Amino acid sequence: MKAIRHTARVRGAAGVHFTGRFQIMRKFAAVLIAVSAIAAAFATFPKEHVIGTWLLNGTDVNTKWVFYKDQKFLFKGTMSTSRGTWSTDGNKISLTWTEIDGKPVKANTVKGSYPLLEDGSWQVDQYNYKKKK
């Protein structure tokens, strides 16, 4: 018995005919690109990316976060300060406060997780922070 070979022809852009095999490969490539984009969106940022000083909008030296190598942080704003610990969790910075405005915070009661954005900045609520150069 002779094997039947699928050779359906589909008209593509500019009138070019594609065989069924090419159509399958095109779909596979599209799926591969989509999976790669999703994986990149959930990429883990290295801790080295976080360490350093981050300024509000990248320019406001009066409002800043300082992330230390020992995974502690300091926040200084015009009317407040806070301290705590930090870690990375996928594409987020996770913070746990230990002190707010000079007063200790009960352990593990004030926490937050904030997205690291594709442009290398990160965001707390509507405020965007960029690493000091």
Side-chain angles (χ1 to χ4, degrees), residues 73 83-85 95-100 103-114:
F73 75 82
R83 295 179 181 275
T85 59
L95 304 176
T96 303
W97 277 260
T98 57
E99 180 184 300
I100 297 175
K103 296 180 182 171
V105 172
K106 187 175 178 182
N108 295 312
T109 58
V110 182
K111 295 181 175 186
S113 191
Y114 306 96

Side-chain angles (χ1 to χ4, degrees), residues 62-63 75-82 100-101:
N62 295 315
T63 307
F75 170 78
K76 282 190 173 188
T78 53
M79 299 181 68
S80 64
T81 62
S82 61
I100 297 175
D101 293 332

Side-chain angles (χ1 to χ4, degrees), residues 19-132:
T19 64
R21 285 184 181 172
F22 183 78
Q23 289 293 331
I24 291 170
M25 291 303 290
R26 240 177 69 185
K27 288 179 184 178
F28 178 74
V31 169
L32 189 59
I33 290 168
V35 169
S36 297
I38 291 168
F42 291 101
T44 300
F45 282 79
K47 291 178 181 172
E48 292 75 27
H49 174 74
V50 177
I51 296 168
T53 301
W54 296 74
L55 305 176
L56 178 62
N57 297 320
T59 57
D60 183 353
V61 295
N62 295 315
T63 307
K64 63 186 171 184
W65 294 83
V66 182
F67 293 93
Y68 299 101
K69 196 173 190 177
D70 64 359
Q71 292 192 274
K72 292 183 179 177
F73 75 82
L74 167 67
F75 170 78
K76 282 190 173 188
T78 53
M79 299 181 68
S80 64
T81 62
S82 61
R83 295 179 181 275
T85 59
W86 66 273
S87 63
T88 55
D89 180 17
N91 67 336
K92 295 182 178 187
I93 299 175
S94 295
L95 304 176
T96 303
W97 277 260
T98 57
E99 180 184 300
I100 297 175
D101 293 332
K103 296 180 182 171
V105 172
K106 187 175 178 182
N108 295 312
T109 58
V110 182
K111 295 181 175 186
S113 191
Y114 306 96
L116 288 160
L117 306 175
E118 288 183 18
D119 68 356
S121 66
W122 69 291
Q123 196 163 334
V124 177
D125 300 324
Q126 74 269 25
Y127 303 102
N128 187 270
Y129 293 89
K130 295 181 180 176
K131 198 165 189 180
K132 182 179 178 182

